[in-house]
Amino acid sequence: MQTILVCDDDELLVELLNHRLVGRGFQVLVANDGGAAVQQAIERRPDAIVLDMMMPVLDGQQVLRRLRADAATATIPVIMLTARRQERDIVSALELGADDYLVKPFIPEELMSRLTRLLAARR
């Protein structure tokens, strides 16, 4: 069973993603702040990460920098899922190593398709 780490401080969104991902056969880990996201990624080594840009403790860019700088987490696929839609935010996240970028509000099935594609490419 593949594991997805969902990093977001919005409880309703986390609940929605958990429901969708579990329904697709994934195990779900949750981090409600950036510090917990880095810690769980290092300790649990999920198969992929869905990461919000705006979170407490560490923001999504700080989390992404730390993940990409650590050999243990550098290759984990990361999809940014955020309300930040400005060009500089998108380009910055992609330059830091995000594998994909989706803007909220989003289509849940689109996220599932993108996640499935990233995981298939990693095999």
Side-chain angles (χ1 to χ4, degrees), residues 38-89:
V38 172
Q39 182 179 356
Q40 284 208 48
I42 291 169
E43 291 175 2
R44 304 290 299 272
R45 306 246 176 97
D47 296 291
I49 299 171
V50 177
L51 178 62
D52 187 17
M53 188 77 80
M54 298 177 288
M55 292 186 299
V57 183
L58 298 172
D59 67 29
Q61 288 189 341
Q62 292 169 311
V63 170
L64 195 52
R65 272 190 203 95
R66 291 183 185 199
L67 294 175
R68 294 305 184 230
D70 187 326
T73 58
T75 62
I76 297 173
V78 175
I79 296 178
M80 300 302 295
L81 180 62
T82 181
R84 297 184 78 168
R85 60 181 64 239
Q86 293 189 359
E87 181 180 344
R88 71 175 179 265
D89 295 319

Side-chain angles (χ1 to χ4, degrees), residues 7 26 32 37 39 43 49-51 62 69 71-72 76-77 79 85 90 94 96 107 111-112 115 122:
C7 311
F26 293 105
N32 298 114
Q39 182 179 356
E43 291 175 2
I49 299 171
V50 177
L51 178 62
Q62 292 169 311
I76 297 173
I79 296 178
R85 60 181 64 239
I90 297 167
L94 294 171
L96 286 172
I107 302 165
L111 174 62
M112 296 299 118
L115 187 57
R122 189 171 184 216

